[in-house]
Each structure stands twice: as C-alpha cells, then as structure tokens.
Amino acid sequence: MTDHTTLSHLELETPEKPFLDANELVINMGPQHPATHGVLRVILRLDGEKVLGLECVIGYLHRGVEKIGEHRTYTMFNPYVDRMDYVAAVSNGLGYCETVEKLLNVEAPPRAQHVRVILTELNRIASHQLWLGTHALDIGAITPLFYTFRDREEILKIYEKYCGARLTTHAFRIGGLQYETYNGFEREVNNFLTFFRPKIDEYEELLTTNRIWVERTKNVGRISAEDCIALGVSGPVLRASGVKWDLRKAQPYANYKNFEFDIPIGENGDTYDRYLVRMAEMRQSVRIIEQAVAALPEGPIIAKVPKVMKPPAGEVYHSIEAPKGELGYFIVSDGSTQPYRVRVRPPSFVNLQALDLMCRGQLVADVIAVIGTLDIVLGEVDR
Amino acid sequence: MIAKLKGSYGSGLEAVTYLGQNYMVVDRSMIPEILYVLRNEEQFDYCVDITAVHYPQREKQFDLIWVLYSYARNERIRVKTQIADGDSPASSVPIWAAANWLEREVFDMFGIKFEGHPDMKRILLPEGWKGHPLRKDYGILQQDNEWVQINMGIESGQ
C-alpha cells in the first residue's frame, strides 16, 4: 500500500516537474583552490559545463599596504612594495623608487640605472617562468614546471649574491642602489644568458606545437583589443590582442631608451597568443640584459639624496611596465617625512576584471586556463 | 587641448603642471561632462586609475582623482576634483568599463558612493565591515573587532 502511494505520487510529479529543472547552476570555486594561484574565489554561473558569467571575490590577502605607506617614512616603505607582486619584487621596487625620485627631483646615476635594468629584466624572465610553469601545470602539462623552476633558480642565485635575498629582494634604494655589484656579476649574468637562451627553445619544444596544449589554449579566453582598452587591461594580455603598447617604449623610464628591443604582439587575443607573447618577451629581455651588461658604465651607484627625505609638497603619478602590465604609483607628499597618500595601481587587479568577459561561453576547465593566462598574483590584487 | 577645454568651460577648470605632469583641477559640477569629453573627443580611452585622498580638515574632505591615458596621443592626464563627505559623484562606468572595480575600491577604502554604479559594494574588505580604512581618522591598528569576533571566532585580529 505504501509502495503504491509513493509510486502514484511520483508518477504525478514526474511529467510536470523534471528532477532538475534549473538550467542555471551556481557553484563556488576557491578561495582554497590550487589552480586559482592563491586565494581567489570565483562564483561561477553555469549552464551544464558552460560558463554564463562569474564574479570574483577578492581581498583575502588584503594587508592594507596603502595604509601602511602613510605611516612609514619614504625609505621604510620601500621593502613593503616587494610584498605585493612577490614574484616580481624587483619591478615593484623600481616603480616605487622612481616615483619617489621624481618627487625629490633626483635621478639615479647611469651605473645604477643599468644595474636596475639588468635586475628588472631578469625579474621579468623569472616572473614569466613562474607563470609558464604554473599555467602549464594547471592545464595538465607537468614537465614545464620542473624546467622553469630549475632555470629560475639561476636568476634567484644572482639576486641572492647581489643583495642576500631571493624573493623579496629590496634591491633598489631611493636614488640608486645600496650595493655595488659583486665580483663576477657581469660574468655570471652573461653565463646565465648563454645558459638560458636554449632553454626557451626547450620550453617551446614542449608546448608550442604540442597538440594538447594547442587544443587547450587556442581560441580560449579570447578578448578583443577594444575590450582590453575599455577594461584598462595592460601588459602581455593587451599586447596579445594586437595593441603594440609597452611603457618601456611609449614612455621610457629608467634608461630603456638606450636599448634595442621589439614589442612582441599577438593577433587573436587568445590564451595561445598570450603564451607566445610572453615567450617572445623573455627573448627580448635577454636582448636587453645583454646590451645593458655590455655597456655597464663605471661611476657612482647612488645619487645625492638626503638621509631624511622630505619631498616638497605635491603629487606625482609614475608607472612602469611590470611583467604583468602597468604598475603605477601615485604619491602625495605634504612635505613631511611620510607620504600623505600612497596609491598603488596594480596591473593584476585591473586585469582580473576582464576574467568575467573572457570566460563567458567557455567551459569550466577553461576558467582555469584563463586565470593562468591572466598571470595574476593575489598579493598584488589584494595588496 | 587644455586651452580649448578652458575656452569652453571657463573658470571651473584649472590646468596645473607639476614635475612635468599635467593635471587639471575641475569643479565638481563639471566632472561628468569633462570626463565624457576627454574620453570621446580627446581620445583618452584608457582609464588607468581612480583614487581618492582624504583631507579631514577641509570643508570638502576628499580629492577624487582620475588618471587617464590616451593611446593615440601617448599622453597622460589627471583630473582632480574636491567633494564633500557624503557626496555621491556620478559613476564613470558608462564611460570606461575599467572604472567598475576601481570605483568599488574607492568606496571600500573611503566610503565615497558613486551614483549609477552597477554594483556598488565593497571589494577588498568583507561585506558588513564597519569603517573605511584609508580615511585619515581610521587608525592603523583599528579594525572592526565585532566583525572579527563573530566571523573568525577570535578575540582580535592583532
């Protein structure tokens, strides 16, 4: 009898109301997810496996860097900026030091500028290596991770010998450098370049024509040049969509105007093109470092800067081409020893905004590929 | 360009150059129009950053700043205006899509609401947090203790 009632009950309900009548499914990804490159939480709206839209929830790594800046002197704040994009700490330091130098109206001497370019470009390579290794790992290729980390180690060794730190280097000082290069610095950098050039080919051999890699990246996460510009996207993501824009060329800082290099661009603005652009950028960085080492001038390494820095009241915005895109600092000075306001314009934060657009219509697995290809660092997104 | 803008907008617009960088100080009432003109007539198509600075002693407590860049002219400009606490300037999301998260961050950190923003809520701090940390009257050790106790089950985050 019980069976009978249950059955008729079922029969009554089934035809009108299907078991799963919603064709929209909301699921949560992260923040503790190995493929989100840190603590990124994404709320996905799905139709089956197709992404209808998503929302990023960020801030899990928020440390209030900008607030800390207002409570430290200009010199004391310098090491803090390394903790934002911690895989490109040298670039962060360069941006900050140059901005404060602008406020103080001093310029680093030529030797310091050259060393800065060498270390920053090495950092670009290191950052792209980390991106490549983890991005490939997310998509399912394990080998590149071991290759890139093995080779990245050589760059970290140079940093370690130069300033004693490998990751958060605090390599530069306001006005120039604190340390003279160590004995054999040029030789070791050159050795690294000789060692590294064939390694890029090695990475490319693993991936560029690899059927699985191409299938997983071609036409995935496409974004047009117009959308990039509207969303304020910068860096390799913008260039892969065909916009030939690089701050090192457009508004040269440090002494980039002395070096010859090209701006690699893509056509389709998909994950594969962004991969190609970053690979080409590593080669260009090698070119820049080569020229900078060959022309390394003698001379002082730090300009005359006061021990107690009190930039005249005023404000300045300065930005550099960090490995992830335009990294800007907006500093307001009130004439005291501490900045009145430090604003960091992080490339990852602004680029991450494009994730929603890039993932629409794609599959869930592609979301992972797109997060990887955006090359975000959550330390910088959340600050 | 600035001369042309000054010609059409007159006294509400002041052009300043400091350390070789151009910015203009614009009257609050003209902001939406100036931003629109910069985007659509002067080709400032890249909204680099939107941020604010707090001056608690002033009557109009906040400086609101737009950092803009034009790919066509390879030129950067900043637009600056003063607004009072509680004032809601118009959102520039219709002009630049990039403004979405940038304005949310300004709201999160300073409590400035943007009128017409599609999703005006906190971005870095959790929903329900009290206070806006980049205001000058928010102490560096200060936090929303109640939120921390309820949501994290600890006495204090310090």
Side-chain angles (χ1 to χ4, degrees):
Chain A
M1 181 137 170
T2 351
D3 274 347
H4 180 73
T5 39
T6 328
L7 251 181
S8 65
H9 172 73
L10 261 183
E11 270 166 5
L12 266 175
E13 206 180 54
T14 323
E16 292 157 38
K17 213 175 173 197
F19 172 63
L20 196 68
D21 68 336
N23 39 22
E24 207 180 290
L25 187 69
V26 178
I27 50 169
N28 176 62
M29 185 169 123
Q32 306 295 347
H33 188 286
T36 56
H37 292 227
V39 277
L40 169 68
R41 179 175 161 217
V42 184
I43 301 168
L44 297 160
R45 226 155 38 81
L46 304 174
D47 175 11
E49 235 197 304
K50 209 172 88 186
V51 179
L52 300 173
L54 59 83
E55 194 191 337
C56 294
V57 182
I58 57 174
Y60 292 92
L61 216 56
H62 180 61
R63 293 149 293 173
V65 171
E66 292 174 11
K67 186 78 180 177
I68 294 171
E70 294 173 7
H71 292 258
R72 297 285 181 275
T73 65
Y74 287 91
T75 329
M76 281 161 79
F77 185 56
N78 200 351
Y80 282 92
V81 298
D82 288 4
R83 273 85 183 160
M84 288 186 298
D85 181 357
Y86 38 77
V87 295
V90 181
S91 294
N92 290 349
L94 178 68
Y96 176 71
C97 289
E98 286 211 331
T99 314
V100 180
E101 282 160 19
K102 257 196 154 59
L103 267 177
L104 287 166
N105 223 342
V106 294
E107 204 176 321
R111 184 175 171 84
Q113 301 264 19
H114 266 71
V115 175
R116 280 179 173 188
V117 166
I118 295 169
L119 295 178
T120 314
E121 289 305 315
L122 282 174
N123 201 194
R124 190 183 309 277
I125 296 176
S127 167
H128 282 2
Q129 280 174 324
L130 193 129
W131 154 79
L132 179 65
T134 52
H135 180 39
L137 184 71
D138 288 347
I139 292 182
I142 296 173
T143 320
L145 181 85
F146 298 119
Y147 280 31
T148 52
F149 273 67
R150 175 195 65 195
D151 306 339
R152 183 168 167 267
E153 188 64 24
E154 300 305 316
I155 298 177
L156 300 186
K157 275 183 193 157
I158 293 175
Y159 287 158
E160 192 174 10
K161 267 191 149 173
Y162 173 69
C163 61
R166 292 154 51 88
L167 196 70
T168 45
T169 48
H170 191 202
F172 307 143
R173 297 297 184 273
I174 296 159
L177 310 167
Q178 167 143 41
Y179 312 111
E180 185 48 86
T181 55
Y182 59 87
N183 262 345
F185 173 76
E186 282 118 301
R187 194 190 62 241
E188 279 186 22
V189 172
N190 274 326
N191 284 351
F192 169 75
L193 298 182
T194 328
F195 159 85
F196 183 59
R197 245 181 247 110
K199 300 293 181 204
I200 310 179
D201 300 327
E202 216 171 81
Y203 306 156
E204 288 226 52
E205 243 166 65
L206 283 173
L207 297 171
T208 307
T209 52
N210 179 329
R211 176 88 186 271
I212 304 168
W213 179 257
V214 173
E215 295 272 323
R216 283 298 310 273
T217 56
K218 267 235 155 110
N219 287 322
V220 168
R222 281 183 81 149
I223 183 163
S224 69
E226 293 74 42
D227 289 339
C228 278
I229 292 171
L231 283 164
V233 170
S234 55
V237 184
L238 174 73
R239 290 191 282 275
S241 297
V243 181
K244 202 167 182 160
W245 188 76
D246 187 317
L247 272 168
R248 289 174 292 175
K249 287 269 192 206
Q251 306 202 323
Y253 54 92
N255 57 352
Y256 275 104
K257 56 181 182 304
N258 299 339
F259 305 118
E260 260 180 53
F261 61 99
D262 302 321
I263 308 174
I265 57 165
E267 286 167 9
N268 302 319
D270 58 4
T271 303
Y272 187 70
D273 275 22
R274 284 186 283 273
Y275 155 74
L276 290 180
V277 162
R278 290 200 179 95
M279 297 311 274
E281 269 182 19
M282 288 203 257
R283 293 180 203 276
Q284 295 303 324
S285 292
V286 168
R287 258 178 89 186
I288 297 171
I289 300 167
E290 205 171 25
Q291 296 168 51
V293 174
L296 191 62
E298 292 296 324
I301 52 164
I302 188 152
K304 247 187 120 47
V305 281
K307 273 238 163 67
V308 180
M309 274 171 218
K310 282 186 177 175
E315 51 180 62
V316 76
Y317 175 85
H318 179 66
S319 59
I320 65 159
E321 186 72 33
K324 273 97 186 160
E326 175 170 355
L327 170 71
Y329 288 89
F330 175 71
I331 302 183
V332 180
S333 165
D334 58 355
S336 72
T337 53
Q338 297 173 342
Y340 189 75
R341 167 100 171 93
V342 188
R343 158 71 182 165
V344 186
R345 189 267 183 205
S348 296
F349 177 80
V350 183
N351 288 1
L352 185 59
Q353 216 180 156
L355 184 69
D356 181 22
L357 183 75
M358 288 163 86
C359 289
R360 287 201 182 180
Q362 309 270 326
L363 304 179
V364 179
D366 296 334
V367 175
I368 302 294
V370 177
I371 292 173
T373 192
L374 275 174
D375 192 14
I376 50 162
V377 164
L378 268 299
E380 187 181 56
V381 173
D382 297 342
R383 282 155 290 140
Chain B
M1 176 194 78
I2 289 185
K4 200 175 106 194
L5 285 173
K6 223 176 150 46
S8 32
Y9 294 99
S11 60
L13 186 149
E14 191 194 339
V16 192
T17 304
Y18 183 66
L19 299 170
Q21 300 189 339
N22 298 325
Y23 65 96
M24 43 184 158
V25 182
V26 179
D27 193 67
R28 150 88 173 90
S29 58
M30 284 157 36
I31 277 295
E33 203 180 338
I34 292 275
L35 293 179
Y36 184 83
V37 167
L38 283 174
R39 163 71 180 81
N40 290 310
E41 285 164 31
E42 305 292 344
Q43 296 173 298
F44 283 90
D45 42 5
Y46 173 17
C47 177
V48 183
D49 201 2
I50 300 174
T51 189
V53 187
H54 188 204
Y55 296 94
Q57 325 78 352
R58 266 186 359 203
E59 193 196 334
K60 288 187 165 181
Q61 290 195 4
F62 295 100
D63 264 3
L64 201 54
I65 296 135
W66 288 261
V67 183
L68 307 175
Y69 177 82
S70 161
Y71 285 104
R73 316 157 72 121
N74 186 20
E75 198 181 312
R76 222 179 259 294
I77 197 160
R78 291 201 301 274
V79 180
K80 202 163 117 173
T81 193
Q82 294 191 358
I83 59 164
D85 192 11
D87 192 359
S88 312
S91 165
S92 39
V93 175
I95 310 178
W96 298 280
N100 191 328
W101 282 21
L102 296 170
E103 284 177 357
R104 276 177 67 188
E105 195 183 338
V106 171
F107 165 65
D108 199 358
M109 295 296 152
F110 293 93
I112 301 171
K113 280 202 164 155
F114 289 85
E115 198 69 50
H117 187 284
D119 193 19
M120 195 79 264
K121 59 178 186 195
R122 287 189 183 270
I123 186 162
L124 293 177
L125 293 175
E127 291 284 314
W129 189 270
K130 284 193 206 76
H132 301 281
L134 282 181
R135 286 178 177 232
K136 289 285 175 187
D137 47 17
Y138 195 99
I140 189 158
L141 293 180
Q142 189 183 335
Q143 60 173 354
D144 186 348
N145 280 322
E146 201 186 330
W147 190 94
V148 172
Q149 279 160 14
I150 293 170
N151 290 282
M152 303 179 82
I154 50 175
E155 268 307 299
S156 150
Q158 296 298 333

